[in-house]
Amino acid sequence: MAIKNNTKYGILLIGSLSLLTLVVLGLPNVSHDNTKLASNADESIKSPNKPINIPMSGLLQKYTYTDLNNRSDTVIIGTVKEILPPKWNTVDGKRPNKSRSEIILENVIYTDIIISVDKYVKNPLSSNELTVRTSGGIVGNDSMSTDYEPSLKTGEKVLLYLIEDIDPQIKNIGPKHFTITGYKQGKFTLTDDGQAIGSDETISQEELLSTIKE
């Protein structure tokens, strides 16, 4: 896999696969380039319909609140309205008609999440709903899992740092959408008692909002 010069998200990803180990530096999402595997690695002839399970793990570069603010195109407070069915990055959203090794190297599963916007904290937009895209999900018997994407659930009130998707594999698929800046670092659950729960710490919502500037 090629290393791409894109440090907008600052992440070192390591995918632990049965066929190969992936090391990707500074990608907004996992992006696979054409890479030749060993000739005996592809089992697609013997088991073309065998489930594909791709676990991806990552070491995130630590972002400060200033980093999150400066790297984001917009920041919103909203509620998770709907989590759409995950899809492969294909025209029909289904598993590509190609060998297993090619799929693992060249394709990804993504999940779109509809957010009802209550307030724009930075760079107000005209829409009262936004689509946020995350890597991973389950399509049929195939799955892709990550430990660096945040978890979101329907009805959850959140503050999200967002950036327009720049991943060449999925940025042009479907409607305009955003990804979360810094992966799980850019998502905060807002509680009724005024707290903002992040991936590694909890602060007051007032303090968090004070760090966000145009």
Side-chain angles (χ1 to χ4, degrees):
M1 174 176 294
I3 295 178
K4 297 186 176 180
N5 184 21
N6 186 329
T7 59
K8 200 164 189 179
Y9 278 69
I11 180 172
L12 173 65
L13 298 179
I14 303 173
S16 302
L17 309 179
S18 61
L19 295 182
L20 91 160
T21 300
L22 305 175
V23 180
V24 184
L25 178 62
L27 291 179
N29 284 339
V30 183
S31 181
H32 306 291
D33 293 304
N34 291 329
T35 302
K36 291 184 179 180
L37 297 175
S39 60
N40 61 352
D42 189 359
E43 300 176 356
S44 61
I45 296 177
K46 295 181 180 179
S47 52
N49 297 317
K50 182 179 178 181
I52 294 175
N53 301 302
I54 308 175
M56 301 298 297
S57 61
L59 299 174
L60 292 173
Q61 175 186 327
K62 175 64 177 177
Y63 276 4
T64 65
Y65 296 121
T66 300
D67 292 332
L68 289 170
N69 176 73
N70 291 344
R71 294 171 184 267
S72 297
D73 293 322
T74 188
V75 182
I76 66 167
I77 291 175
T79 303
V80 179
K81 177 181 179 180
E82 183 179 7
I83 299 175
L84 302 180
K87 297 180 179 181
W88 282 101
N89 62 327
T90 55
V91 174
D92 60 5
K94 299 179 180 179
R95 184 202 276 206
N97 184 23
K98 58 176 76 169
S99 70
R100 292 168 56 81
S101 60
E102 288 177 315
I103 293 172
I104 291 172
L105 288 171
E106 300 171 1
N107 295 95
V108 295
I109 292 174
Y110 67 89
T111 300
D112 280 349
I113 301 163
I114 308 301
I115 307 294
S116 294
V117 180
D118 299 324
K119 179 182 180 181
Y120 283 97
V121 185
K122 175 184 177 179
N123 188 21
L125 305 177
S126 60
S127 177
N128 59 6
E129 286 188 356
L130 294 180
T131 299
V132 174
R133 182 164 293 178
T134 61
S135 302
I138 299 174
V139 181
N141 294 321
D142 301 326
S143 68
M144 178 178 173
S145 60
T146 69
D147 64 1
Y148 49 85
E149 289 280 13
S151 61
L152 294 109
K153 57 185 178 182
T154 304
E156 183 178 13
K157 187 170 184 179
V158 292
L159 182 146
L160 299 176
Y161 293 83
L162 300 175
I163 188 169
E164 288 190 25
D165 193 355
I166 59 174
D167 185 343
Q169 288 187 297
I170 55 178
K171 68 178 183 178
N172 295 321
I173 298 176
K176 179 179 178 180
H177 59 276
F178 294 84
T179 57
I180 298 175
T181 309
Y183 295 92
K184 60 185 178 182
Q185 297 177 93
K187 177 246 179 173
F188 290 82
T189 300
L190 305 182
T191 63
D192 293 337
D193 61 355
Q195 299 299 300
I197 304 173
S199 60
D200 56 7
E201 64 179 340
T202 298
I203 66 171
S204 71
Q205 294 176 29
E206 182 179 0
E207 183 179 359
L208 179 59
L209 290 171
S210 72
T211 68
I212 303 172
K213 299 175 175 61
E214 291 292 341

